[in-house]
Amino acid sequence: MSQLADTPAPPYYAVVFSSQRVADTKGYANMAERMLALAQQQPGFLGVESASAGIGITVSYWSSLDAIRQWKSDAEHLQAQAAGRERWYEAYRVRIARVERDYGFERGLRDV
Amino acid sequence: MSQLADTPAPPYYAVVFSSQRVADTKGYANMAERMLALAQQQPGFLGVESASAGIGITVSYWSSLDAIRQWKSDAEHLQAQAAGRERWYEAYRVRIARVERDYGFERGLRDV
């Protein structure tokens, strides 16, 4: 399975979550895994891509701004957000963006 | 220095470049470093965030769609794009998005 999100044709929405974590991230991996599983169950969730090295970048894709708002205010997610600010993040930045165009490449296919 | 991009107030544009590389990435690091240096000199460049683990995610920020188009068609960048498809990428996805809202957190500051 590709680790690149298989999103539909634009327009759709992206949430770019960029973070710097503190040195001691005990408990972080479990929380992140749980939040990923939970996000995937939300209405309007389209996919997610994540990479971490120095900083972490997670881009989740959504069908609408309303779907993003609902996920942001999910009770368990709110708890995780608060724990993140208390324990795990040195800094983060959230950017909510409307994807207007996309294109890609796959070896052997070209021009997806 | 923070590795999170210090972007201005929205609206601005994000290019989310998500990639899977082939196993043998000889020459890739040099090209990536050169492209980063070159991108930073382009008109309308606002910042960049990058992380790689399993997949690579690079998000660059731009003042306008026109600035993105100019960077995409830069002669040296076009060569790098072609080399990427020939040598380094198994697959990639480019998403061009309009950042409509952003917020963040910094330890000791809160609510940037």
Side-chain angles (χ1 to χ4, degrees):
Chain A
M1 190 191 111
S2 171
Q3 296 173 68
L4 305 183
D6 189 21
T7 41
Y12 54 89
Y13 288 85
V15 178
V16 181
F17 179 71
S18 312
S19 64
Q20 293 182 290
R21 295 198 278 275
V22 298
D24 176 8
T25 55
K26 191 174 174 230
Y28 176 80
N30 281 349
M31 178 281 290
E33 195 178 326
R34 170 68 185 150
M35 285 306 113
L36 178 60
L38 203 55
Q40 289 170 336
Q41 297 167 22
Q42 300 302 306
F45 175 88
L46 299 177
V48 66
E49 292 164 345
S50 195
S52 178
I55 65 170
I57 303 178
T58 297
V59 189
S60 57
Y61 301 102
W62 302 86
S63 60
S64 69
L65 289 174
D66 198 51
I68 293 169
R69 269 190 293 269
Q70 281 186 49
W71 168 232
K72 194 191 175 196
S73 61
D74 171 272
E76 193 175 341
H77 189 200
L78 283 173
Q79 287 187 335
Q81 292 168 48
R85 287 187 293 267
E86 275 166 33
R87 289 182 231 167
W88 296 307
Y89 295 119
E90 193 59 44
Y92 64 72
R93 200 95 180 171
V94 179
R95 294 178 175 94
I96 294 152
R98 185 177 189 269
V99 178
E100 304 192 339
R101 202 159 73 78
D102 66 6
Y103 59 92
F105 163 82
E106 278 185 48
R107 190 156 294 278
L109 286 178
R110 305 231 155 201
D111 302 325
V112 175
Chain B
M1 189 191 112
S2 170
Q3 295 174 65
L4 305 183
D6 189 20
T7 42
Y12 53 88
Y13 287 85
V15 178
V16 181
F17 178 71
S18 311
S19 65
Q20 293 182 288
R21 294 198 278 276
V22 298
D24 176 9
T25 55
K26 191 175 174 230
Y28 176 80
N30 281 348
M31 178 280 292
E33 196 177 325
R34 170 69 185 151
M35 285 306 113
L36 178 60
L38 203 56
Q40 288 170 337
Q41 297 167 22
Q42 300 302 306
F45 175 87
L46 299 176
V48 66
E49 293 164 343
S50 194
S52 178
I55 65 170
I57 303 178
T58 296
V59 189
S60 57
Y61 301 103
W62 302 86
S63 60
S64 68
L65 289 174
D66 198 51
I68 293 169
R69 268 190 293 268
Q70 281 185 47
W71 168 233
K72 194 191 175 195
S73 60
D74 171 271
E76 193 176 341
H77 189 200
L78 283 173
Q79 286 188 335
Q81 291 168 47
R85 287 187 292 267
E86 275 167 33
R87 288 181 230 167
W88 295 307
Y89 296 118
E90 194 58 45
Y92 64 72
R93 200 94 178 173
V94 179
R95 293 177 176 96
I96 294 153
R98 184 177 190 269
V99 178
E100 304 192 340
R101 201 160 72 80
D102 65 6
Y103 58 93
F105 162 80
E106 279 185 47
R107 190 156 294 278
L109 286 177
R110 304 235 155 198
D111 303 326
V112 176

